[in-house]
Amino acid sequence: MRLHQLGFAPPDLQVPVAAPRGRWFWIDFGLRDVSASGEFDGTGKYRDALLRAGLTPEEVLEKEKEREDWIRGTTGRPLVRWRSAHISTPQALAARLAAFGVAPPSSR
C-alpha cells in the first residue's frame, strides 16, 4: 500500500534470484519500475530459536549479509530492507528508500 501511495508500480512479490550451487534466493519485493529490490523483515529470525534452526543470531546475520551481497552483486540493483517503523507513513518509507538512492518514478 505504501509503495502505491508513493507512486511505484505494483511490486513483483517473492522474486527469485539464482544463488550459488544451484539454489535460489527470494526477494520480498521487486521494484521493477526503479530497478530496485526491497525486503520487509522483523527481528524474529534473530531472536526465535525455532526460526534460527540451530544457528546463533550471529550466524543468521552472517548468512543474511552473504545473501544480500550476492543479490546486489548479481542483480546490480540496490536492496533496501525496511521494518514496521519505516512503513508507518508514506513519508517514512520515502525517507528510508531515499537513504538508499531509491526514489519513486514520478520524482525522477
Side-chain angles (χ1 to χ4, degrees), residues 1-11 29 31 33-34 36 38 80 82-83 85-108:
M1 176 180 83
R2 294 289 186 228
L3 291 167
H4 173 75
Q5 289 173 326
L6 292 172
F8 288 93
F29 300 96
L31 306 176
D33 51 344
V34 294
V80 182
W82 58 78
R83 296 169 61 184
H86 301 122
I87 60 171
S88 60
T89 66
Q91 296 79 12
L93 182 57
R96 178 66 176 179
L97 294 170
F100 291 84
V102 177
S106 59
S107 67
R108 290 176 172 241

Side-chain angles (χ1 to χ4, degrees), residues 3 10-16 26-32 38 82:
L3 291 167
D12 297 319
L13 303 178
Q14 295 304 308
V15 178
W26 301 90
I27 302 170
D28 293 341
F29 300 96
L31 306 176
R32 173 175 7 116
W82 58 78

